[in-house]
Each structure stands twice: as C-alpha cells, then as structure tokens.
Amino acid sequence: MQRELKLQREADLEWARQVSQRPGCEGLFSCLQCGACSGTCPLSIYMDFSPRRIVALVREGFRKDALSSKTIWLCASCYSCAVHCPRQIHIADVMYGLKREAIQDRLYPARFPIPVLAQEFYKMVRRRGRNSEFWLVLRMALRSNPLILLGMVRTGWNLARTGRLSLRRERIRDIASLPQEIAPREVA
Amino acid sequence: MSDRNGAVRIGVYTCHCGANIAATVDVKALAEFAALLPNVVLSRDYKYMCSSPGQDLIRQDIRDHQLNRIVVASCSPHLHEHTFRTALKVGGLNPFYFHMVNIREQASWVHENKAQATRKAKDLVCAAVRRVAFHQPLERGRVAIHPDVLVVGGGIAGIHAALTLANAGKHVFLVEREATIGGHMAKFDKTFPTLDCAACILTPKMSAVRSHPNITLWTYSEVTKVDGYVGNYKVTVLRHPRYVDEDLCSGCLECLEACVCKQAKVPDDFNLGLSKRKPIYIPFPQAVPQVPVVDPETCIQFKSGKCKTTCIAACGDRHAINLRAEAKVEQIEVGTAILATGFQTFDARRTPYYGFGKYPNVYTALEVERLVNASGPTAGEVVLRDGRLPRTVGIVHCVGSRDENTHRWCSRVCCMYSLKLAHLIKERTGAEVFNFYIDMRTPGKGFEEFYQKLLNERVHFIRGRVAEVTDWVFDASEEGKLVIRVEDTLAGFVRRIPVDMVVLATGLEPRADAPEVRRLFNISCASEGFFLERHPKLAPVNTFTDGIFLAGCCQAPKDIPDTVAQAGAAAAEALALIDAGYVETEPNTAHVMEEQCCGCKTCISMCPYHAVSFIEDIHKSRVNEVLCKGCGTCVAACPSGAIRQNLFEDDEIFAEIEGVLSNA
Amino acid sequence: MPNPYGYFPGCSLKGTGVAYEESLLALFQLLDLPLAELDDWNCCGATSYMCIDECSAFSLAARNLALAHKAGHRELLAPCSACYLVLRKTQDYAERYPGIAAHNGHLAICRAIRVRHPLEVLYTDLGPERIRKKLVRHWRGGRVACYYGCQMVRPYAEADRDCDPVRMDELLGAVGVPTVDYSLKTKCCGGSLTGTTHSVGLQLTEILLNEAARKGAQAIATVCPLCQYNLDAYQSEMRRASGKRPDMPILYFTQILGWALGGDLASLGFRRAISGRKTIEQWFTKDRVEKEAYVR
C-alpha cells in the first residue's frame, strides 16, 4: 500500500502561471471544475486523469503528475471540450502545451506510439516539408512497437490495391523557407 | 463678487483626514500657503473636518471673523459637500458660498511622492480660493410630489408594492401587460422551501388588489409614454381591447363553453404551448380580473365576420361581449413609479446540446411547473408527451447560467426550484430522479434543510455539468431512452445515465422588452441588461432617476421572499417621498439668457435629459430646471453663449484655471 | 473566367485520400469553379507539429498562407479538416496573440486570405438550389448518414454549426439523396489513434458505424480524409451488434455530388473504396438501362 499525500513543496505555482499565459489557455484559473469537458470528451473514458482533473492538477502546480499522464497523449484535438466549457477555456490547447513539455522532458513511456508518431512527423516535415504516409507509419512503428506493422498488413494491402498507398518520398522544392528552429520555442 | 460689506473674506480649512491625507500631503505647509492667498482671512488645518467639532469650527469662525466664503480641502464632494454646506447654513451663510477641494482622492491617494502631492494640493487650493470669490448665493428649488403612484407589472412584486401603498392611503395605478395579474408565480404549483401552494398564497393578494378602493387595476395594458419629472410624471397608458367589458362581465365563463370552436386549437401561452385554448379564453381559473379575453388573431368573427357569435348569446342580458371594442388611451399623473416588470426564462434552444426542441421528452423547468400544477395541461400528472409515466428523470442545473457562452451570472433560484421539482416529481411518479449540478446553492432560510430532506428522499445528486443529452445508444439497455453523458466528478468517472425525461433548469434573464421600458422611464441597466440600482448595497431599490424605483426580478434574479421584501422597500421609498411632500432640487442648473438666445435650437437636440424646450411664441429656448441635471452640454454648445450654468459660470471657471496655473 | 480559388490539398489528399482530390477536382470542374493548387505547398503540420514546437507550427502553416497571398489568391480552400483547422487557427491566433506574429521570422501571417472548406464554399457561393438545377443523374442508392467530423466545425463554426450541422445534408438532399437523422454527426472518429493505440481508435470508429446503421443508413458521407480512412479501412475487424461484419461504403460528399451532376465515373475515385464495394457498384458504377438512370 503506497502513501498518496501531496505536499506543498511539490506544487510549482510559477509553472501554473506560465501555462495560463499560453495562447488559448487564458481562462485556466477561472475553471469551475464543472466537468463538462470530461463529459463531452470522447476519449475521457480511456484516460487516467479526466481533462477536468488535468486542469485541476495544472492549476495547483502538480507538473510531474500532469506531464506523466496518458491523458495528454490520448487527446485527439477534437475541441469538444473548448466548445462546451462555460469559461471558454481551450483545454485542447492546454493539452498541446503539456505534450510539448512532456516531450522535452522525456516524461512518457519510451516506446509509447503517440509521442513517437509526433516526433517522427516533426522530423520528416522539418526536413522535407511534407509527410509521406507510408514511410511515416513505418518509422513510427519501428521506433515504438513493430508489432503494429503486423496488424497493418491487411490494411496496407487494401490501400495498395486501391491505389491509396504511395511509396513516394514527398518533398517540397524550397526547403530553406521552412522554419528551421534549432530548439522548440513557445509563443508565450 | 463681494458681499454686503463689499469685501470677500475667505476661510480655508485643510483636513488631515487622520493619516489619509496627512501622511502624503504636508497639511501644515498647505494651511500656511493658503493663509497667504488673496482674500483669505483665516486658514486652519484640522484632523477631521467632517466631525462635529470640525463643523463647529466653521460655524464659529463665520460668526467670529465675519467670513463670507468657505473653502474646505478634504475628501470627495460626493461624501461631505452636503455636510459642509449645511454647516454654512447653520452658521448663517448661504450654503453655496462654499467650495470643496478634493486633496484626498485627487492628491494624497494618487501620489507616493510627498512633495508632488503637496504641490498639487496647493494648486488645487489656489484654484478653489480664486473661484469661490465669484460664487453667488443660490437657493434650492422645491418640487411638489403628486401623491399617486404608478406600479408597472402585476406579478408578486407589483402586487405587494401596490397593496402596501394602497393600505397607506395612496392611490395606485397598477398596469399589467397580460390579461391577468399574478406573473410567473401564478404558474407555479408549490414554492420552495416550505412547499406552500403558490396559488393559495397568491390569490388572496390578487383578490385584495381587485377589491381595494385605492387601486386602479388596468390589465391587458401597457405604458406607452412617460413625460415629466420626479413628482410630476405624466404617463400615457394604452389599454388593449379584451372585447369583453370588465364592468359588465360577471365571470360566469359560459361564453367559453358556448364558443363555436368546440375543440381548443390555439396553443395556450400560459401553459407554454403544452395545451390548447379557444379563441375566447381566460388565462387560468383564478385569473384576476375574472374576465375572458377574445383573441382577434384566431376568433372566426374577426377573421371572416361570419360567426354565429354564440358567445354573445350565452352572455344574454349582461351584454358584456363587445367585439367592436377599441383600444383606449388613458393619461394619468403620478408622482412616483415602481417598475416591477419581472423576468423571462432562458430559451433552452440556445443550448442545443440538451436537445430541447429536438427530443420531445426534454422539458424546461417552467413547462414541468405547469405539468405538476393541478390546473395545468395534465391536471397535475407528470406524464410525457406520449402519455407514459417517466421511470427515470434527469434534472440538469445551470442551463444558460454561469456560462460565458450564454449568461455569466448565476440565476440564484434554479438550484432550489430544481430540488423542489425533484421532490414533486418523485412524489407524484415514484421515478428515480437525478439532479446534475455544478454547485449546490441553497443559502436562504430553510434552504439547506430542504436540501437535506431531498438527500434523505434518495434523490441522486451528481456533481457534474451535463455535456450532452443524446439518443445514440451504447447498448440495448439504453434503447428508447435519452442518455445523459456526464462526468461524476465526485465519484471520479464518466457516466451514461439513460432517462425517460430530461428537465432543464433554465436560468432567468432580463425580458426582451426591458430596453423599451428602460427608455420610457429613463433609467439605466448594467451590462447584463437588468435594471440598474443606484447602489448595490445601500440603495437597492432606487434608480439614478429620482422617483423611479425597482422591485423584483427586473433588477436581478431573486426568489419570492426577496422579491416581496424588495417590493415593500420600494413602496417605503415611494412613501417617504410622497409624505415628505416635496423634493429639493440641486441649483447647479443651466438657464437661458433670453435676450441673447437666437432661436437656433442647438441646445434642444444636445440635451440628454430632454430638459430644454422651445417656446414658439417668443422663439427662444427654455431650460426646465427640475429636469436639468447640470451636465453643461448646452452651455458649451450654445453658439451665442446664451446659456449659463449656476456654480459653473465663466468667471468661476476661468478663475479656477488661473489658480491652477498660477504656481507653474 | 472568375478568379480561381487557391487550393491546398494537404498530404493526405495525395495519399490515402486521393479519392477526395479526384472527386473534388471533378466536381469543381463540373460547376465551373476554378481551383489552382498552391505551388510548392508544405505540410500544414496537423496535430503533430503543435505537439513538439509551438512557434514552428504556426510558421509552418503560415508559409502556405504567404504562398497563397503571393499567388494572388484571396481565398484558400482546404478540403482536409485538419489542414482547414490548422490554417484557420493560425490566422485567428496570429490576430489575437501578437506574440505569434512577432516570432514569425520572415513570414508575416497573412490575414487577408480567407481560409474556407469546400463544403462551405459550395453551400454559400452556390447553394442547394443552384446545385439542384444542375442535376443529371437521379439518385438510385439508399440512405446516407452525413458525418461531419470534429475539426471542420470546432472550434470555428464557420463551415457549419457545431451542434447538429446540416449543410452537407442539404447539399446532398438537393440532389435527391435521403439522409438519416444521425446523432453522431460531429463525434470524433479518433483521428490518428487508429494507427497508434489501435483498439481505442477502433472503438470510437465502431460507434460511428453502428449508430449510422441503427438509424437506417446504408452509407456514410464524409468531409475529411482521415475520417474516411478510419471508417473505411477497418470494417473487417469490427462486429455489429448482430454479429455480422459491417460493409458500409464510406464516401466523400464530393463523390456523391460529382456523380449526381453527371461527372465521369472514372474520375470520381469510386475504385478507391475498401469497404462496401458491392454497394458502390450498385449505386454508382454499374450500368443500367439508359432510360432508368439518366432521366433528365
């Protein structure tokens, strides 16, 4: 039996304030904890913390708990939460910010496919300007869970026979005009 | 500029206001500075000028030193200008030989640097000393108050205010838009927290209004024009024709029975469209006045002229029905008015996720009030539109309230009425009832105990704002039901709860015609649209327009106990004015120098208070000093410089400007 | 010749969503609405870029807006809902948060461009009535559930309203397609979750298919390539309540409109479908006796 007791020295309120400064996250501190976001979120039933609980964690500065959750990765950015929220908080934007922090601090299980997909997508588009679906899925699977590929054999075949599977490596001509930040940057 | 003896003798008083002023402004230096200013005979500094000893100082000095002008440098005139003017009066001086300088809000409270604060205070005092030399003696006017009162709105607020005033011997005109008084309260079945029958407590008051000799009750009427000013309002009331004469009708209601439309086909507004009525109808059985109304939009005689008019035949010798009646316009004079126009409920179609209007078994709370009411469309049975009894009911709190997307405010009564409806529904049907809330707001007397009672009745209380009401089913157990998806935030998971009936606790909002009413009576509203009180704590029933008072939900959402209390307060304020007999007017009004007026009429369109009128036969403008609020717009706008304003004469203003700049 | 709409295909329309591009181009040609694909457009970043680098994500999207502006377009059509949302959001956030434009290096985010979804363009610029007048082929198929997805209507409800949108229903209705009362019109299909956490994504998609069938639909019409892919590609893994595998055609609304307006069958991408191929054959491509099908 583990002791679950939260002490105030773990709370980082300055971080909470920073999160509320991000675009879309302004209303964070006026959250009523009404739960409308969780009630409407189609993924909330799969999450360890509901979206409402993530906001509660963020407001009180419990950074590690929020960033280590599976919740932020399961967010599909459908914006149902933002539209239902009586305080007009864009919870999907809160989730994006937390995802970025989790990737920078490597606070996710090493071979969890969702952040791996995001990173492979980023690398590919940064280098070439477009993504090539086949190669993207391949790289994502190899870096996270190769068994995924086994499950996708039939789908791959279906896509191939209908002409929807392109093996081309897409790229744009003017690569230099793409944003080439050395390190990720926040707006606020 | 000088007094009877020829010289201006000014006394300057600098207040410390404890540390409020003295900590930042060097009051001693200020007093010394003031003593050296032209025409200043005496300069003092004192800890609290507004205190009795402080005021005594002024009075004593006026006598001892023959002062004929006083300047006090202290706080805002809003607070103590009246105090000091009274001190002058008691000391034998015209109160308008006084000028107040604000060195607290305008110097001490906005500076951190003592030297700068003192310097500004010196400039202000210098300006005041120069100005006050030009002050003239002025008198306050008195306006008589007509003793009659107008009450607009015949809900519980209007009824209570009217009865209170009538019992005090005043004549009241009670004007109500609908065909009956009673307002929203007449639609309720039981009221919280005592579960009193609404009709049982309301109808005696309604009858009292009807039979009171001091109340003139005009229903099916509305106010169309208001002229005049406090104490002397001239109001025009339009009385729509009911086509049934109130004096001749005995209330037997046989005409309803006799109507050729044997089946009721017109949606009944009183029952929110849940039932139908005939073209000749009475809103509800205990309506006051107990006189039917004919609806010209649906009555066959009006539409085609070919009806047998069996209603007229049924009326017989009384001849109360007159289908040729016309609207009547009444002109009345009143001294004061109480606005008790009430509220409307939030339109649940604006929150489409809850399915109101899409799914037949989603109801608003007011519709359910009519269902549980014994004189309602289902004779008190809580049944769905297809006649079934609901086995599970979900009550959704905060619909249209506490929401940036609709209304930000909390509508105050919904938690309590949701508890009440939960109790009534469970009692009548034995259904399983779920209340979905964000916060439980039960602060009033007996309210918390009512919540406890509901908890003990095993009504489910789920803390979570309902996300959606939907008909898609997760599995067979949900077939044919409406499903409420919500996060049960206290238990900690998302739930799907299938129900037969959904009740939306819609909030209260200002009526759609509130802006019209506001403009008629020249009062303000706050950003959400409710009528604005003069001060939220200290003057909750007064408005910024003298003589107009507020009562009930037109000012803000509230329950019946608070409405009745507020209505009594409004009546008391009106009585205070009426019994005093007069109201004093401020003399800082504008007046037209008729010799200089060229008749261009610029001032008339400029005046926000409609205080300037044009006298045709002499082709000059004239300011009504009672309506004038002293804003100065016409004074500045007049191209001929023909308008002057008391207390803001040109020489006074120029002296002030010179005074402020003299130390530059 | 009216000014062409700028056309931003996005990565999906060149790959798994190729049927969308084919039918979109065919439909717009039938309607005399010129489309000009942006030269050297780049990936919009979708949801993934924003998970890594906020500033670059906005810059990436902004490059496309700048390209459109340079090409002289005033309007940019983005058929893929994710692309549409990213471009629209970039514009909106750049206006509301000055910090974004400040970080944006050599690209000023172009607010003069109007980012639009083809559904909204057809509804607003043409309207159901004008489309009805161009009807060539009468509908001979079954009932269709119109599925709008999430990112086209949230958080910007310009293409259609978020709760119970109707524009696709009305456009399809104008060409005689009977649509069903579908309560899950804007419920998320799971997006890329079918590729990463497959069982979760699959459950979300399954719900959409089952409910469409329960409401009597025999096909689903979509506006987004990822929604179409999710609904189309995995039906063989699903089971309906009856125990049978669903085999429902998942069509793009442009395919249905293109067919009804007389488009060349080969150009509408019907052969790209994975599920419901037999139904598609019956409804669209199978030859029928002239007088039955082509009645004007």
Side-chain angles (χ1 to χ4, degrees):
Chain A
M1 269 175 281
Q2 286 279 49
R3 181 174 69 191
E4 177 79 55
L5 177 64
K6 282 269 177 263
L7 302 172
Q8 271 311 97
R9 56 173 156 79
E10 295 169 47
D12 184 352
L13 291 172
E14 178 49 34
W15 170 76
R17 194 194 59 82
Q18 275 168 24
V19 176
S20 74
Q21 307 279 47
R22 294 179 186 155
C25 306
E26 304 74 60
L28 199 69
F29 290 113
S30 61
C31 169
L32 288 179
Q33 288 289 296
C34 70
C37 50
S38 315
T40 190
C41 173
L43 279 315
S44 63
I45 51 181
Y46 301 100
M47 293 172 174
D48 39 4
F49 296 121
S50 67
R52 173 195 60 87
R53 279 188 78 185
I54 290 284
V55 174
L57 286 172
V58 171
R59 298 211 285 196
E60 287 298 303
F62 293 110
R63 184 170 187 268
K64 190 130 181 297
D65 299 78
L67 296 182
S68 325
S69 67
K70 285 214 222 51
T71 302
I72 59 180
W73 301 112
L74 287 170
C75 170
S77 307
C78 78
Y79 284 91
S80 293
C81 50
V83 162
H84 275 80
C85 177
R87 288 290 180 261
Q88 292 176 338
I89 304 169
H90 280 211
I91 295 142
D93 289 340
V94 176
M95 295 292 176
Y96 273 131
L98 296 176
K99 281 189 240 205
R100 292 193 293 269
E101 283 191 75
I103 287 196
Q104 279 187 42
D105 290 10
R106 305 213 144 267
L107 280 169
Y108 55 87
R111 297 171 79 79
F112 192 28
I114 303 175
V116 167
L117 173 66
Q119 288 176 93
E120 290 304 317
F121 188 113
Y122 175 78
K123 281 194 286 206
M124 189 179 283
V125 173
R126 188 160 173 239
R127 223 178 293 139
R128 309 176 71 86
R130 290 187 195 174
N131 80 70
S132 316
E133 288 163 317
F134 172 76
W135 297 107
L136 177 61
V137 172
L138 188 64
R139 294 171 85 95
M140 180 270 293
L142 291 176
R143 294 245 153 126
S144 59
N145 177 13
L147 291 173
I148 289 177
L149 292 173
L150 279 177
M152 297 199 87
V153 165
R154 194 215 304 243
T155 313
W157 164 241
N158 282 333
L159 289 171
R161 68 180 169 87
T162 52
R164 291 160 76 172
L165 189 71
S166 167
L167 292 173
R168 266 201 1 229
R169 293 175 154 272
E170 299 275 343
R171 75 196 292 273
I172 63 172
R173 296 189 314 267
D174 188 7
I175 305 257
S177 66
L178 290 173
Q180 300 291 351
E181 309 286 345
I182 300 168
R185 251 195 321 162
E186 296 284 306
V187 170
Chain B
M1 146 162 164
S2 53
D3 75 329
R4 294 167 287 270
N5 295 342
V8 167
R9 296 173 64 79
I10 305 177
V12 182
Y13 299 84
T14 303
C15 184
H16 295 213
C17 196
N20 265 317
I21 296 176
T24 320
V25 174
D26 186 344
V27 287
K28 293 270 178 231
L30 186 59
E32 279 164 22
F33 167 80
L36 301 170
L37 292 172
N39 294 319
V40 174
V41 160
L42 178 142
S43 174
R44 289 191 200 282
D45 63 278
Y46 188 69
K47 248 195 155 52
Y48 294 104
M49 279 307 297
C50 56
S51 64
S52 297
Q55 295 174 56
D56 278 340
L57 256 183
I58 297 180
R59 283 187 239 130
Q60 205 53 40
D61 285 344
I62 291 174
R63 292 206 182 102
D64 294 348
H65 299 273
Q66 296 89 50
L67 300 176
N68 53 30
R69 303 283 191 282
I70 305 288
V71 170
V72 174
S74 59
C75 53
S76 164
H78 277 294
L79 298 162
H80 284 303
E81 185 172 61
H82 183 78
T83 313
F84 295 124
R85 280 186 180 158
T86 309
L88 262 78
K89 197 160 160 197
V90 172
L93 217 51
N94 183 292
F96 296 94
Y97 277 140
F98 167 75
H99 194 69
M100 189 152 171
V101 186
N102 185 346
I103 58 168
R104 188 180 75 173
E105 280 87 334
Q106 291 185 15
S108 165
W109 280 3
V110 294
H111 282 88
E112 285 174 347
N113 180 314
K114 202 163 174 168
Q116 286 179 342
T118 310
R119 195 191 145 144
K120 181 172 177 183
K122 284 183 181 170
D123 288 344
L124 292 173
V125 167
C126 191
V129 163
R130 289 199 191 208
R131 181 201 221 277
V132 81
F134 289 97
H135 277 207
Q136 298 294 318
L138 296 168
E139 296 301 327
R140 280 213 157 89
R142 275 191 183 186
V143 176
I145 305 280
H146 194 293
D148 289 356
V149 186
L150 169 68
V151 175
V152 184
I156 182 64
I159 289 173
H160 184 79
L163 284 171
T164 309
L165 287 161
N167 288 337
K170 310 298 173 213
H171 186 87
V172 180
F173 294 93
L174 180 54
V175 177
E176 164 57 50
R177 188 184 289 272
E178 300 297 324
T180 174
I181 52 175
H184 278 94
M185 190 173 169
K187 299 192 182 174
F188 303 159
D189 179 36
K190 304 269 193 292
T191 56
F192 60 77
T194 46
L195 297 174
D196 273 291
C197 159
C200 306
I201 54 180
L202 179 62
T203 45
K205 283 179 104 94
M206 286 165 62
S207 302
V209 164
R210 187 77 176 118
S211 55
H212 206 297
N214 285 342
I215 299 181
T216 302
L217 176 62
W218 286 336
T219 53
Y220 220 40
S221 308
E222 53 185 305
V223 173
T224 52
K225 200 158 189 285
V226 177
D227 281 322
Y229 44 88
V230 58
N232 299 274
Y233 289 110
K234 290 187 179 35
V235 181
T236 310
V237 178
L238 175 62
R239 304 198 56 202
H240 296 288
R242 319 166 80 102
Y243 305 104
V244 180
D245 190 313
E246 285 182 46
D247 298 317
L248 298 173
C249 174
S250 68
C252 67
L253 303 183
E254 282 182 32
C255 47
L256 268 62
E257 202 34 62
C259 176
V260 295
C261 298
K262 284 303 160 201
Q263 276 209 330
K265 294 238 177 78
V266 186
D268 185 343
D269 275 337
F270 193 81
N271 282 332
L272 304 163
L274 292 172
S275 66
K276 307 259 201 293
R277 59 158 172 84
K278 298 186 183 181
I280 184 167
Y281 68 101
I282 196 160
F284 66 100
Q286 304 100 323
V288 166
Q290 180 90 175
V291 176
V293 188
V294 178
D295 173 12
E297 307 265 310
T298 50
C299 169
I300 298 178
Q301 180 61 10
F302 278 93
K303 296 209 294 191
S304 69
K306 295 208 186 94
C307 182
K308 286 196 277 224
T309 63
T310 43
C311 50
I312 296 180
C315 190
D317 310 334
R318 287 176 293 268
H319 303 293
I321 301 181
N322 173 10
L323 295 177
R324 274 189 255 280
E326 288 184 352
K328 246 200 304 188
V329 173
E330 309 267 9
Q331 297 267 14
I332 54 173
E333 278 182 34
V334 296
T336 50
I338 297 179
L339 302 182
T341 47
F343 65 93
Q344 65 187 37
T345 50
F346 175 79
D347 181 358
R349 283 170 302 192
R350 289 177 58 187
T351 47
Y353 309 105
Y354 295 141
F356 180 71
K358 182 174 180 202
Y359 303 121
N361 292 329
V362 175
Y363 291 81
T364 60
L366 202 55
E367 286 178 330
V368 176
E369 292 275 358
R370 295 311 299 150
L371 290 181
V372 297
N373 193 308
S375 61
T378 54
E381 297 277 319
V382 180
V383 285
L384 300 169
R385 286 177 222 262
D386 55 11
R388 282 185 301 137
L389 219 61
R391 305 262 25 101
T392 342
V393 179
I395 302 180
V396 181
H397 289 219
C398 298
V399 176
S401 306
R402 304 188 70 191
D403 187 346
E404 297 274 340
N405 300 313
T406 52
H407 294 314
R408 291 175 121 182
W409 60 83
C410 165
S411 294
R412 190 155 168 174
V413 299
C414 322
C415 276
M416 281 307 295
Y417 80 54
S418 298
L419 290 178
K420 174 191 75 174
L421 288 177
H423 169 83
L424 291 173
I425 291 173
K426 202 171 167 86
E427 189 182 61
R428 305 278 167 99
T429 64
E432 198 177 3
V433 180
F434 291 82
N435 280 56
F436 301 97
Y437 66 98
I438 307 176
D439 290 293
M440 246 345 194
R441 298 200 156 166
T442 56
K445 189 168 184 178
F447 289 11
E448 181 64 25
E449 294 85 334
F450 192 64
Y451 179 30
Q452 277 299 315
K453 177 181 146 83
L454 264 292
L455 281 164
N456 289 331
E457 285 176 13
R458 305 291 305 280
V459 168
H460 298 263
F461 285 98
I462 311 240
R463 187 192 176 276
R465 185 177 201 255
V466 170
E468 60 183 4
V469 171
T470 180
D471 69 346
W472 76 270
V473 301
F474 191 79
D475 63 23
S477 70
E478 294 181 355
E479 280 281 353
K481 301 221 182 224
L482 287 172
V483 178
I484 290 180
R485 193 177 198 263
V486 66
E487 185 191 16
D488 183 337
T489 62
L490 297 177
F493 32 65
V494 174
R495 294 172 69 164
R496 289 176 61 95
I497 301 179
V499 297
D500 297 309
M501 180 186 199
V502 176
V503 182
L504 301 178
T506 45
L508 275 52
E509 60 182 25
R511 286 180 59 106
D513 59 16
E516 253 176 69
V517 174
R518 254 196 334 111
R519 267 177 239 121
L520 275 176
F521 287 93
N522 234 337
I523 58 170
S524 346
C525 69
S527 62
E528 0 83 336
F530 290 110
F531 296 153
L532 190 60
E533 64 288 329
R534 185 179 279 236
H535 189 284
K537 287 192 250 304
L538 301 180
V541 298
N542 304 68
T543 59
F544 285 101
T545 307
D546 294 324
I548 313 285
F549 305 100
L550 303 173
C553 290
C554 61
Q555 181 256 343
K558 55 178 70 72
D559 54 22
I560 295 169
D562 287 347
T563 299
V564 171
Q566 199 179 45
E573 293 285 333
L575 278 169
L577 264 188
I578 299 170
D579 286 350
Y582 64 85
V583 124
E584 279 192 332
T585 56
E586 284 294 310
N588 60 328
T589 51
H591 49 274
V592 176
M593 314 301 292
E594 287 185 1
E595 325 83 66
Q596 289 156 33
C597 173
C598 67
C600 71
K601 297 189 189 170
T602 306
C603 50
I604 294 173
S605 55
M606 292 266 143
C607 179
Y609 303 97
H610 307 293
V612 190
S613 49
F614 197 66
I615 313 298
E616 284 295 347
D617 27 353
I618 49 170
H619 203 71
K620 307 274 182 199
S621 291
R622 190 170 290 164
V623 177
N624 178 332
E625 282 170 7
V626 183
L627 279 173
C628 177
K629 295 272 178 196
C631 69
T633 308
C634 58
V635 181
C638 177
S640 316
I643 309 188
R644 290 167 62 167
Q645 183 171 347
N646 292 334
L647 279 183
F648 288 91
E649 302 276 1
D650 287 355
D651 45 14
E652 290 165 352
I653 296 178
F654 283 129
E656 235 184 311
I657 298 173
E658 279 169 20
V660 164
L661 294 173
S662 62
N663 290 328
Chain C
M1 169 79 155
N3 197 22
Y5 295 101
Y7 167 51
F8 178 82
C11 308
S12 299
L13 261 69
K14 301 294 187 191
T16 52
V18 60
Y20 199 179
E21 178 166 76
E22 289 173 330
S23 53
L24 180 80
L25 293 175
L27 176 65
F28 270 60
Q29 193 164 50
L30 284 170
L31 294 170
D32 286 317
L33 298 172
L35 288 175
E37 181 169 329
L38 278 192
D39 180 44
D40 210 32
W41 55 268
N42 60 275
C43 173
C44 69
T47 52
S48 297
Y49 228 81
M50 189 56 85
C51 297
I52 313 283
D53 184 344
E54 192 178 26
C55 286
S56 294
F58 285 125
S59 302
L60 194 69
R63 182 178 174 277
N64 293 309
L65 294 171
L67 281 174
H69 183 66
K70 207 159 56 163
H73 298 300
R74 280 211 307 266
E75 313 206 318
L76 185 60
L77 258 64
C80 166
S81 298
C83 301
Y84 168 76
L85 174 57
V86 168
L87 291 169
R88 186 71 195 87
K89 181 177 165 181
T90 301
Q91 260 189 334
D92 181 46
Y93 276 40
E95 208 166 308
R96 293 197 284 139
Y97 303 102
I100 292 174
H103 281 300
N104 211 292
H106 60 290
L107 286 169
I109 298 184
C110 194
R111 285 179 247 163
I113 302 279
R114 221 179 126 200
V115 175
R116 302 175 73 183
H117 193 283
L119 178 71
E120 184 264 316
V121 169
L122 290 174
Y123 189 87
T124 321
D125 293 2
L126 274 180
E129 265 314 299
R130 279 168 66 182
I131 289 181
R132 186 203 308 275
K133 292 204 172 79
K134 295 185 179 241
L135 182 67
V136 170
R137 295 183 177 116
H138 285 249
W139 185 251
R140 62 194 200 202
R143 298 159 66 81
V144 174
C146 288
Y147 175 63
Y148 296 72
C150 49
Q151 300 195 334
M152 187 188 77
V153 294
R154 288 189 295 265
Y156 302 104
E158 290 155 6
D160 205 337
R161 66 182 189 221
D162 153 55
C163 189
D164 196 27
V166 290
R167 288 180 171 181
M168 192 183 357
D169 294 72
E170 283 185 35
L171 286 178
L172 293 191
V175 297
V177 178
T179 56
V180 303
D181 170 34
Y182 190 43
S183 305
L184 298 181
K185 282 178 178 175
T186 60
K187 193 155 200 64
C188 184
C189 69
S192 54
L193 291 174
T194 43
T196 51
T197 43
H198 186 69
S199 57
V200 172
L202 199 68
Q203 280 178 21
L204 289 174
T205 314
E206 207 167 351
I207 288 171
L208 296 172
L209 275 164
N210 288 340
E211 181 66 11
R214 191 181 81 96
K215 281 290 174 78
Q218 284 116 15
I220 298 180
T222 60
V223 296
C224 167
L226 194 47
C227 298
Q228 197 279 341
Y229 168 77
N230 279 335
L231 288 164
D232 192 20
Y234 301 110
Q235 287 187 25
S236 49
E237 289 175 59
M238 297 177 195
R239 294 263 153 223
R240 284 227 225 115
S242 54
K244 291 208 284 258
R245 283 203 332 232
D247 191 31
M248 201 184 270
I250 312 296
L251 303 156
Y252 290 105
F253 77 104
T254 43
Q255 290 178 299
I256 296 178
L257 287 176
W259 180 86
L261 266 48
D264 173 40
L265 293 176
S267 70
L268 292 171
F270 288 120
R271 64 195 166 93
R272 311 283 186 194
I274 295 175
S275 305
R277 292 181 75 88
K278 256 220 198 75
T279 314
I280 288 179
E281 219 184 311
Q282 277 176 342
W283 290 10
F284 300 108
T285 54
K286 197 167 186 181
D287 286 336
R288 287 226 183 157
V289 179
E290 282 273 339
K291 65 173 195 251
E292 266 188 84
Y294 291 76
V295 179
R296 204 15 171 126

